[in-house]
Amino acid sequence: QVQLVESGGGLVQAGGSLRLSCAASGRTFSRYAMGWFRQAPGKEREYVAAISWSVGSTYYADSVKGRFTISRDNGKNTSYLQMNSLKPEDTAVYYCAATPARSPLHLPGSGQYDYWGQGTQVTVSS
């Protein structure tokens, strides 16, 4: 079992930055692929970014490519999402997710995550 707790959300002006953190419980965090999703009101959940447990592979949605960076610190059981050049359309509840990785470079598909955090609100004002 893995428990995930997000933090770092808040209100920021357009063009600003935020860093989200996802703290995971469990001794096998380093063998889990991690992902970040977001959901805005009235919209479908979007798969934003993912990172393999070996840190060798990453995925980004086109909408955030070049602005967001996913990372992880296996020693701290924590995944991060650095969000720069934020836009009002980035406003959403952001969720982190985890799943056991099939290989060191495995990046799960959006429907393959087993564990989810409670979400943290990010609001970008124009």
Side-chain angles (χ1 to χ4, degrees):
Q1 286 285 343
V2 174
Q3 293 184 327
L4 305 173
V5 179
E6 301 98 334
S7 61
L11 174 64
V12 64
Q13 288 188 333
S17 298
L18 282 174
R19 188 177 81 155
L20 305 182
S21 298
C22 175
S25 64
R27 294 177 293 177
T28 58
F29 172 79
S30 61
R31 293 298 186 265
Y32 282 75
M34 302 296 297
W36 286 91
F37 292 75
R38 66 186 181 185
Q39 188 163 23
K43 295 188 177 181
E44 291 188 356
R45 186 175 64 192
E46 181 182 14
Y47 189 20
V48 174
I51 188 167
S52 61
W53 72 255
S54 71
V55 196
S57 296
T58 55
Y59 159 81
Y60 295 98
D62 288 343
S63 58
V64 307
K65 210 170 283 186
R67 300 187 298 121
F68 290 12
T69 302
I70 189 171
S71 62
R72 65 189 295 162
D73 184 336
N74 288 338
K76 295 182 178 180
N77 281 12
T78 303
S79 173
Y80 305 96
L81 186 67
Q82 178 67 44
M83 305 186 295
N84 298 329
S85 302
L86 283 162
K87 306 174 181 180
E89 51 264 43
D90 294 319
T91 296
V93 177
Y94 283 70
Y95 300 89
C96 72
T99 192
R102 301 173 190 172
S103 68
L105 298 179
H106 174 226
L107 291 175
S110 60
Q112 295 178 325
Y113 285 87
D114 297 310
Y115 304 100
W116 295 83
Q118 82 289 350
T120 185
Q121 176 70 46
V122 171
T123 302
V124 184
S125 63
S126 56

